[in-house]
Amino acid sequence: MMYGISSTAWLKQNILFALEEETQFISSRELTQIVGDYSQSTIKKICRELQEEIEQTYPTDISTLIIDQRNGIKLTRQSSINYQKLLASIFSAELGYELLQQLLLKRSISTVAFCNSHYISESQLRRKIKDINASLKKHNIHITLSNDITISGEEYKLRSFFFVFLFTVHRQFSFISWAKNKSTVIQLSEQIASQLAIEADSRTIEIIALWVFITISAMKYGWTLTYTEQEQQILESFTMPKRPAFLTDWKDEDWQLFVMAIYSSDIIDFHLQVNLASLEQVLPLQDAEIWIELFEEKFLPLTDIQQEFVYKKFVKQLLANYFFEPDENSLNNFTKRYSEELKTLYPILFDKYNSLWKTFLQKTSETSYEYFQIESLLLCFYLVPRKIFFPRIKIFIRSDLTFLYTKHIEFRVSTRFCDQYFIEFTTDIHQADIILSTAALKEMDDYVSNFNNLVPIILINSKISENDFAKIEDALIQLTSTLLIETKKTAI
């Protein structure tokens, strides 16, 4: 499994995420179908383990996992918490976590001591290292085993992966139980934030503190940074703020990597001036022009300000990919299931985006855009107005109600589906994609009835009901499916 974390730990996370989507009780059979790849008995067993872990982590009135033989399973929590603390507890108890934590901190540890302290054999350790190495390959990091267990790779890659590792599991520096001198690290982070004119709220300080901790830990053990000529040119393409005088033990290389990490992460609101002419000699910035061209072809023209925004995102993406090789799934918990949910919710945008992304990969020389695939999708969501990526549906209402009550029905329908469809109400029945009527079909004139073969006619109650909404939604889904087919034919 990824980074040596057991399948059980990942399954617990998947179950938590699945139950978070449910507001009512769900049977273990239904949960098994949602999670997939596991038996119902395994799901029941893991749920019981989760129930105990939730009880140990949170007071009963804050969160509880209800397992009822008659009603099923339901997860409840107060709005004052999420499950990051619980997940951190689950992942940090893993052997893979213990091994990576010690290696990233010390770089080399005794094989015998580690095996004895964790009650495992050397052969078990060897299998775990093989598992972890498979995930570390993309980071150009490798663990070897002999008398000592040693992790090796470029120093900046080791520090970068250390951040991804800690941020993925703990999210906040203060949640790391084994970290020492926390108050000193937090204080230093606040000073740096002030020096860089970064808003010093707790969220920002917690993220900066992770990098401060990683940097001072590396200096403590004497791990120094060196850059190639190309890497140095990348760094020199940016106007770096001067290293603060109070960072007496830091070298310029430590400060450069720290600043670049904060900038390229795109988590903290922090800006650097960049010499694009210098940077484009070593990074494929022309790919931003290709993306913009394809976006405008698939969606709509961008303003100069929007194009500048896209360029900045590309700069950060290319920097992150070069120095930090991030994992978007780990950093943002952007799961495949969530991606499928978005595809179902916004089929028009997804269809156009998939075409954009496929062509983009064909036209670019950069092979490491896997991370940017998700960022690129989110960039489309950010740039595209809702009326563009929502299916545009025109509805005609034939009503035997008062003017204001008819308008109220329009309001109920539009607000009910506003997060998935761009709905317009028309007074011209010939333009309608759907006809809603409060009058019984037998009372409708032949002229309107003839439309039934062309567009769906849905009879609704004067007090619109959930069943009415369900029928309208069925028609909207069918119309969207038809629209997608027509769009693809037009594209061909």
Side-chain angles (χ1 to χ4, degrees), residues 36-282:
D37 299 326
Y38 292 91
S39 67
Q40 189 173 343
S41 60
T42 299
I43 297 297
K44 287 181 177 180
K45 175 178 177 293
I46 297 302
C47 282
R48 287 191 290 270
E49 292 180 13
L50 265 176
Q51 187 180 46
E52 293 179 6
E53 289 166 333
I54 289 172
E55 290 173 355
Q56 294 168 3
T57 307
Y58 306 104
T60 305
D61 60 333
I62 298 297
S63 179
T64 183
L65 178 57
I66 304 169
I67 302 177
D68 185 273
Q69 189 170 1
R70 174 177 293 181
N71 296 315
I73 303 166
K74 184 179 180 181
L75 184 65
T76 67
R77 65 176 172 88
Q78 296 292 331
S79 59
S80 58
I81 67 160
N82 59 23
Y83 287 113
Q84 188 56 45
K85 184 179 180 182
L86 174 63
L87 290 171
S89 175
I90 291 171
F91 287 127
S92 59
E94 290 280 306
L95 180 64
Y97 175 95
E98 291 276 355
L99 181 58
L100 279 171
Q101 178 258 312
Q102 292 191 35
L103 286 176
L104 290 167
L105 192 63
K106 302 175 182 178
R107 308 299 165 82
S108 186
I109 57 177
S110 166
T111 299
V112 172
F114 186 85
C115 287
N116 289 340
S117 63
H118 292 83
Y119 306 102
I120 61 171
S121 65
E122 187 172 325
S123 60
Q124 288 175 304
L125 175 62
R126 193 176 299 277
R127 286 195 295 272
K128 179 61 66 174
I129 290 175
K130 182 180 179 181
D131 186 19
I132 296 174
N133 274 335
S135 295
L136 293 178
K137 187 177 181 180
K138 67 177 181 180
H139 301 282
N140 292 317
I141 296 173
H142 189 74
I143 300 173
T144 55
L145 175 64
S146 57
N147 291 335
D148 290 327
I149 314 168
T150 303
I151 192 168
S152 57
E154 294 286 345
E155 177 61 23
Y156 71 82
K157 290 183 181 292
L158 289 167
R159 295 190 194 185
S160 301
F161 177 69
F162 202 0
F163 172 79
V164 171
F165 175 73
L166 294 178
F167 186 74
T168 300
V169 176
H170 300 284
R171 227 63 185 178
Q172 295 180 220
F173 172 69
S174 58
F175 286 172
I176 305 175
S177 60
W178 49 266
K180 297 179 180 179
N181 303 317
K182 286 186 178 180
S183 60
T184 301
V185 172
I186 292 293
Q187 184 180 11
L188 190 57
S189 301
E190 290 172 344
Q191 289 179 275
I192 292 173
S194 177
Q195 187 78 15
L196 295 176
I198 294 173
E199 184 179 355
D201 59 21
S202 59
R203 173 194 64 88
T204 300
I205 297 303
E206 290 284 356
I207 295 171
I208 292 176
L210 287 172
W211 270 107
V212 170
F213 172 74
I214 291 166
T215 304
I216 62 178
S217 296
M219 292 189 296
K220 175 184 176 182
Y221 288 98
W223 312 120
T224 58
L225 286 163
T226 56
Y227 299 118
T228 65
E229 184 177 335
Q230 182 177 4
E231 290 160 359
Q232 196 63 48
Q233 184 175 348
I234 292 174
L235 294 171
E236 290 175 357
S237 298
F238 293 85
T239 303
M240 288 282 179
K242 188 176 180 181
R243 175 167 56 90
F246 56 80
L247 296 178
T248 54
D249 296 332
W250 290 40
K251 295 181 179 179
D252 287 339
E253 290 81 3
D254 297 313
W255 176 246
Q256 287 175 322
L257 184 67
F258 173 86
V259 171
M260 196 57 64
I262 298 300
Y263 171 74
S264 66
S265 70
D266 209 23
I267 301 173
I268 294 173
D269 185 17
F270 175 63
H271 306 281
L272 290 174
Q273 288 186 336
V274 56
N275 183 337
L276 292 176
S278 173
L279 191 61
E280 67 183 3
Q281 295 178 19
V282 285

Side-chain angles (χ1 to χ4, degrees), residues 282-310:
V282 285
L283 292 178
L285 297 185
Q286 68 276 7
D287 290 350
E289 296 178 11
I290 296 174
W291 194 94
I292 290 171
E293 178 185 329
L294 290 171
F295 179 89
E296 292 185 330
E297 175 187 320
K298 304 295 181 182
F299 293 102
L300 76 167
L302 294 175
T303 65
D304 291 343
I305 294 175
Q306 288 174 321
Q307 290 191 25
E308 183 182 357
F309 179 82
V310 173

Side-chain angles (χ1 to χ4, degrees), residues 3 13 85 119 123 141 230 243 271 281 300 309 317 320 344 356 362 370-371 387 391 399 411 436 458 491:
Y3 305 126
Q13 176 178 272
K85 184 179 180 182
Y119 306 102
S123 60
I141 296 173
Q230 182 177 4
R243 175 167 56 90
H271 306 281
Q281 295 178 19
L300 76 167
F309 179 82
Q317 149 60 26
T344 301
L356 179 155
Q362 291 172 346
E370 181 179 355
Y371 166 63
K387 65 180 181 180
S399 171
F411 171 78
L436 303 182
I458 303 171

